[in-house]
Amino acid sequence: MNRTPLPLHKPAENGVKTSRFIIEKMDCPVEEKLIRKRLEGSPGVVGLSFNLMNRELAVQHTLVDSSQLVQALESIEMAPRSVDTDESARGATTRPAVSKSMWLLLGISGLAAVAAELTAWTTGNERSLYIALLAGVSVLTGGLPTLRKGWIALKNLTLNINFLMSVAVIGAIAIGQWPEAAMVVFLFAVAEAIEALSLDRARNAIRTLMTIAPETATVRNSNNEWQSIAAASVLPDQIVRVRPGERIPLDGIVTAGQSSVNQAPITGESMPVSKGVADTVFAGTINENGLLEFRVTSDYRHTTIARIIAAIQDAQAQRAPTQRFVDQFARYYTPAIVGIALLVAIIPPLFMGLLWSVWIYKALVLLVIACPCALVVSTPVTVVSGLAAAARHGMLIKGGVYLERGHLLKSIAFDKTGTLTHGKPVVTDTIVLQDRSIEAVTQIAASLDANDTHPIAKAILHQWNALSPDRDARELYAVDNFAALPGKGVSGNINNTPFLLGNHRLVEEHGACSAGLEAQLQSIEDQGKTAVVLIERDTPIAIFGLADTSRPWSAEAISSLHALGVRTVMLTGDNDRTAQSIARSLKIDDARGNLLPEDKLTVIKELKALGPVAMVGDGINDAPALAAADIGFAMGVAGTDTAIETADVAFMDDDLRKLPDFLRLSRNTTRILTQNIAMALGIKLVFFALAVMGEVTLWMAVFADMGASLLVVFNGLRLLRTFKE
Ligand code: ADP
Ligand code: MG
């Protein structure tokens, strides 16, 4: 791999640099705490951010170089591998989670532990030399890493799982419970190994996304020959060729050929899309049957897929609300239980004359129960699995927080043009009001709209091109003082005559309305069409009727949302009559027309009073409304520059049915998070009660801990299958 990491954070300010490290030993929040303890507040360190799923640590610091940081990390056995700008590292650690030799040692440890337990059980004696030997072998083969980490934790005064386990093992040996100590060591080591393996599954789900784009590209060189080179060294504007069956290596625009392309890696939709000249192609998608040549539009690091991956990795690094709660909880839980354990060990023997060995044993069991690993690991695994499943389905979720918030939505507001409809209106009616020809008014309108990018502007230009197929006659007037009037239309001067082109509101504002004009507008709008008026000075001279068609899946998406109990609202700057007509055909609950961009914002705020609200738009217009909503969804962002960055949740294609999919994923995620927390805490609670009553042995407590961790991890991983049949 030769992919360059993308910058995760803003560029350095006033001498603050960011050094990134991959720390292979860092996969549990335990290690994060240890590293924080060691680095936070040490001179020159400004901030730390962790991405446990990628085992990545970013340190913001003002040091000359990072050697000091490396030393500090080495001192706590967290030897880092530094990642500089050109290394291939992002999330691409290849080390297997559990090496062969680790498995071998585990096997020996297990055999010795079982033999020790069996011997003790059959002979009824727990302290023979033979048992001590077996237990010793088990602890040395299975427990050394734990004991060593426990020692480091002690030196750094952190209460972590390794420290607690070490105390439990040493304590058990001290009170003569050797087989018990061996069993604890072995079971704990197995639990750690399995946990590492399952976390790897969640990591792999995202890593597979990264290996999607090919490493090489066939480009045309200066001698007009095809040459295969590293995709990373291809520059924008170079021409790349893709054969049938090959993956497309970079983003670009087709310059020759015709083919169908499977865009599932980006959009999650495996129906092939037909591509010809001027169509956009994306890195990572698969060219199915034709030969395509395309002009590269962005370098390897800024392709759509690269941006998706960068965004997911940022999303992972942020803590979802549940995770914050859990971390907060764990901060008090562990010391509290350790405190109780201390009391249990000391008070009954000291003040009530009870047996020291019995109560110390109970205290050791409590120490094991004090480990919050299942609880702490349950949330990130679940959230990351949800984010990964979504990404493979063509939905980019910018943080666990949105995943958790989605199912709370009470209402969803939709932009009309381009979201519910295709956003490609066509001119269907041209009504001339004064003594002019259709060509003449269309030419004026097109001249004005040549300066705008609104879908209506494109439609009017298109109409002009269609009216005058003869190239030479297609010329447009020069426009002075052009202005776009958001939510209304455009204005400008042609040959010193002022013109306006826009909706009914604009006509009214200029006092150019009349009963006759209104009747004509109304008859167009009643057909669900958009009407715009061309005004010369103060006189309307033409009306254009434009029809846009609903996207085929809009109605289905709306009815799924209703089934999920969400209220739907359509917001548009188009006139109210058109809005109502389209809303009726799609069965949308409520439609508001004649809205200026700031009115859309007001409606969002008003809807917020009823509960969390989402806004769905194309991500470029309607930015204030998108930002004000609890979740801003952008549609069809593949290939757009800003939409991926600005939305909270971005759908790669225009398929609105992803919206109900997202809500269901959010619902599942929340359910699994709740289940996990309940399971992790419930198991602890039961064992805590049993331990106080003296019903639990040490190995049972470790076993329960392991069981709880595995249950929550596997439960979380279930989310990966959300969109697979
Ligand atoms: P929406 O995105 O909800 O369709 P906009 O606020 O973008 O609404 O636009 C509102 C209305 O303003 C359009 O329906 C149209 O009537 C008018 N309008 C906007 N831009 C133009 C333009 N360039 N040419 C003609 N009319 C326009
Ligand atoms: Mg719009």
Side-chain angles (χ1 to χ4, degrees), residues 520-696:
Q520 276 171 309
L521 291 179
Q522 188 168 329
S523 86
I524 294 176
E525 291 165 359
D526 278 337
Q527 305 166 46
K529 292 179 184 172
T530 301
V532 295
V533 182
L534 178 63
I535 302 172
E536 185 180 40
R537 296 187 199 279
D538 293 319
T539 319
I541 59 168
I543 305 174
F544 298 92
L546 298 104
D548 193 4
T549 43
S550 295
R551 294 188 185 275
W553 42 67
S554 291
E556 186 188 334
I558 298 287
S559 84
S560 304
L561 290 175
H562 289 164
L564 289 165
V566 177
R567 212 178 118 77
T568 52
V569 183
M570 183 172 98
L571 309 181
T572 179
D574 209 345
N575 76 85
D576 209 41
R577 222 183 297 274
T578 315
Q580 299 302 339
S581 158
I582 291 177
R584 228 175 298 123
S585 72
L586 294 176
K587 300 205 167 60
I588 291 177
D589 291 327
D590 186 5
R592 317 275 181 96
N594 280 324
L595 301 178
L596 297 175
E598 58 264 32
D599 299 331
K600 293 186 181 175
L601 183 63
T602 317
V603 178
I604 294 289
K605 287 184 180 155
E606 169 197 321
L607 290 172
K608 263 194 175 175
L610 307 173
V613 51
M615 168 83 196
V616 191
D618 52 18
I620 301 160
N621 284 331
D622 313 318
L626 281 174
D630 295 288
I631 306 181
F633 290 94
M635 305 287 303
V637 301
T640 62
D641 273 346
T642 51
I644 292 184
E645 276 82 29
T646 51
D648 300 325
V649 178
F651 298 147
M652 294 304 134
D653 58 8
D654 295 315
D655 193 338
L656 267 184
R657 287 171 299 188
K658 291 217 159 78
L659 211 49
D661 286 346
F662 171 81
L663 295 194
R664 282 188 214 105
L665 177 67
S666 167
R667 208 162 273 201
N668 286 345
T669 306
T670 313
R671 189 184 313 135
I672 289 183
L673 282 174
T674 320
Q675 286 169 355
N676 276 356
I677 292 174
M679 266 195 298
L681 281 182
I683 291 175
K684 291 279 163 180
L685 210 69
V686 168
F687 274 77
F688 183 83
L690 292 175
V692 174
M693 294 189 299
E695 300 290 332
V696 177

Side-chain angles (χ1 to χ4, degrees), residues 23 51 198 203 207 398 419 458 499 660:
I23 300 177
N51 185 344
S198 28
R203 286 193 189 104
R207 208 173 297 155
K398 305 291 270 301
T419 301
K458 289 186 192 155
F499 285 95

